[in-house]
Amino acid sequence: MAANTSPETPLPVGEVSRLIGGWIDRLGAVWVEGQITQLSRRPGAGVVFLTLRDPSYDISVSVTCYRQVFDAVADVVREGSRVVVHAKPEWYAPRGQLSLRAAEIRPVGVGELLARLEQLKKSLAAEGLFAADRKKPLPFLPQLIGLVCGRASAAERDVLENARHRWPAVRFEVRNVPVQGVHAVPQVVQAVKDLDARADVDVIIVARGGGSVEDLLPFSDEQLVRAVASCRTPVVSAIGHEPDNPLLDYVADLRASTPTDAAKKVVPDVGEEYERVRWLRDRARRSVEAFVEREERGLAAALSRPSIEDPHRMVDEREEQVAALTERARRTLGHLLDRAESELTHTHARVVALSPAATLKRGYAVLQKADGHVVRAPAEAAPDEELRARVAEGEFTVRVTAAPAAEAPDTDGPATEALATETEA
């Protein structure tokens, strides 16, 4: 029955909460069908907490049950399973919260929600959209960052404040869109495409500050996943919900655990970079100084060597040796030449003494026949035979006038005395 109230006789909040609890109690136990989207089983706790969702109307309600009730179906029921629950509605008056106390849970089948997402995940992975080699590296210092987030959201504030604190000169192009509900997917997709079409945008951050599994469903939509996969600009997923990973985390070029973490990973810290530059500068200076000092020591050591300090000393030391060796060589060569000259003179004298010309100069003559044959014995010459006599100063013709004598020739006279000859002109 409706309560009789007026501005003059309002009901206290506690009374309204008590009345609502009474109306709910009169509803009694009911059978409820839905899909499990969240499941919490704390170790040692005697109560299991679930969230039951109606995908058709996008409505969820909390469910509690004793551990023995859930253990009966624990092997076949998990997040995403569709179940039928026999439960009694309960109203928690101090907090004004409605929940269902389940007395029995019956599995209906594989949950359509998570099962569909899992199937979509496997399908997209098979296409290679999640492959590591497709990930694009983020620029070291982006000049303009595209940010897709909810309007006036904590995610937007965290990204902007942390990024500008790290690098004050960084600029943002913000696209405020719904991040949950029926209009979230098309507007997020359009915002990503618009930012990707701009040549001056260096990186895109898609940020949301967490939420339930139902709230994160837009970031697992296939349309959004394919739009991010086709971007030429690197995309960072910054959905702050650690227990669950929307499909956007797998296709993005970088996953950040929170919007704040995204700002830290995308924008370098100016202080850290300054310290790194200073450290590198000092390291370069030390390296150059060490190199110069090492080369100076090497140069000093080289200059201290005797050959460099007094380069003429080696030449002066060797000059006397060269002179002595030159004189020795000259004397040796002179002795060899003198000895060779003496030997040559003696050999020449012997050759001259033994030559036929020297014999002819002593008054001897050589008799030759017309054919050039030398007459060596008187018997070789015939009477009246013309012979050619060769002497030291020339030659002439002789004729044999008598037969050769029988006795031996006189060795003391000239060779022409052995024959009687007639001189011709």
Side-chain angles (χ1 to χ4, degrees):
M1 294 178 63
N4 294 322
T5 61
S6 67
E8 290 74 18
T9 57
L11 293 177
V13 174
E15 181 62 19
V16 172
S17 180
R18 185 187 65 79
L19 292 175
I20 294 175
W23 296 331
I24 291 176
D25 286 339
R26 287 196 293 271
L27 178 61
V30 293
W31 287 97
V32 182
E33 180 182 359
Q35 191 174 38
I36 298 177
T37 56
Q38 287 184 331
L39 174 61
S40 176
R41 301 176 63 187
R42 297 187 180 89
V47 179
V48 178
F49 299 89
L50 304 89
T51 299
L52 204 61
R53 178 177 182 273
D54 186 350
S56 301
Y57 297 95
D58 196 16
I59 298 176
S60 300
V61 64
S62 298
V63 180
T64 59
C65 65
Y66 292 110
R67 177 171 290 275
Q68 57 268 27
V69 175
F70 185 82
D71 288 343
V73 293
D75 295 334
V76 294
V77 169
R78 59 183 58 86
E79 288 188 3
S81 300
R82 185 175 291 275
V83 296
V84 174
V85 178
H86 187 235
K88 184 179 184 301
E90 292 183 346
W91 178 256
Y92 186 62
R95 192 177 298 173
Q97 182 177 356
L98 173 68
S99 64
L100 299 177
R101 172 71 68 173
E104 182 180 357
I105 301 176
R106 297 182 182 180
V108 173
V110 178
E112 294 179 359
L113 177 62
L114 296 182
R116 184 168 62 252
L117 294 180
E118 185 65 24
Q119 183 179 2
L120 178 60
K121 176 183 175 182
K122 293 180 179 179
S123 175
L124 296 176
E127 294 182 24
L129 298 185
F130 303 156
D133 56 359
R134 296 186 72 261
K135 307 295 183 182
K136 296 178 286 293
L138 270 64
F140 167 71
L141 180 58
Q143 301 299 314
L144 181 62
I145 300 175
L147 176 61
V148 180
C149 59
R151 185 178 303 276
S153 61
E156 178 182 1
R157 183 179 63 254
D158 291 344
V159 172
L160 296 180
E161 290 181 356
N162 284 278
R164 287 169 178 163
H165 175 74
R166 293 173 63 84
W167 197 274
V170 69
R171 295 180 298 114
F172 280 90
E173 183 67 25
V174 181
R175 293 289 188 273
N176 294 123
V177 296
V179 291
Q180 69 182 58
V182 294
H183 303 293
V185 173
Q187 295 195 31
V188 171
V189 169
Q190 188 60 43
V192 170
K193 290 182 177 180
D194 291 345
L195 293 174
D196 183 57
R198 293 187 54 167
D200 55 344
V201 174
D202 299 316
V203 64
I204 301 172
I205 300 176
V206 181
R208 176 188 164 87
S212 64
V213 174
E214 299 96 322
D215 296 337
L216 301 182
L217 285 179
F219 300 99
S220 293
D221 188 85
E222 181 178 0
Q223 183 182 1
L224 176 60
V225 171
R226 294 190 180 278
V228 171
S230 62
C231 285
R232 62 164 185 84
T233 308
V235 177
V236 177
S237 173
I239 310 303
H241 195 262
E242 286 292 343
D244 301 290
N245 296 105
L247 298 186
L248 178 63
D249 288 348
Y250 297 98
V251 73
D253 298 295
L254 179 68
R255 177 187 180 271
S257 59
T258 62
T260 300
D261 184 47
K264 294 180 179 180
K265 291 182 176 180
V266 171
V267 180
D269 184 83
V270 64
E272 294 176 358
E273 297 304 319
Y274 175 79
E275 288 299 320
R276 183 178 292 108
V277 170
R278 185 185 62 81
W279 178 80
L280 291 174
R281 183 179 58 193
D282 294 342
R283 179 181 176 185
R285 181 185 297 108
R286 290 194 300 270
S287 299
V288 172
E289 291 175 351
F291 175 78
V292 172
E293 292 176 358
R294 183 171 63 252
E295 295 302 317
E296 288 179 346
R297 291 194 298 270
L299 181 59
L303 293 175
S304 65
R305 295 178 181 176
S307 58
I308 301 298
E309 187 177 7
D310 187 6
H312 296 285
R313 180 165 54 186
M314 181 180 295
V315 177
D316 296 340
E317 292 175 353
R318 299 297 180 184
E319 182 179 6
E320 296 181 0
Q321 298 181 8
V322 171
L325 292 174
T326 303
E327 183 62 27
R328 179 181 176 184
R330 183 179 294 111
R331 290 195 304 269
T332 301
L333 181 59
H335 293 162
L336 291 176
L337 292 175
D338 293 344
R339 186 168 57 191
E341 183 181 6
S342 177
E343 291 178 354
L344 180 61
T345 302
H346 294 162
T347 301
H348 182 267
R350 288 195 299 269
V351 170
V352 170
L354 297 176
S355 67
T359 304
L360 294 177
K361 288 182 179 181
R362 291 199 299 269
Y364 290 92
V366 178
L367 297 179
Q368 294 177 316
K369 292 186 176 185
D371 59 0
H373 181 70
V374 177
V375 179
R376 290 181 174 82
E380 295 180 358
D384 201 31
E385 182 180 3
E386 288 185 359
L387 300 177
R388 187 174 59 194
R390 182 178 180 185
V391 295
E393 298 299 333
E395 60 180 30
F396 54 86
T397 302
V398 297
R399 185 183 299 276
V400 180
T401 59
E407 66 277 3
D410 186 4
T411 58
D412 294 332
T416 57
E417 295 177 357
L419 299 175
T421 61
E422 181 181 350
T423 304
E424 297 181 354

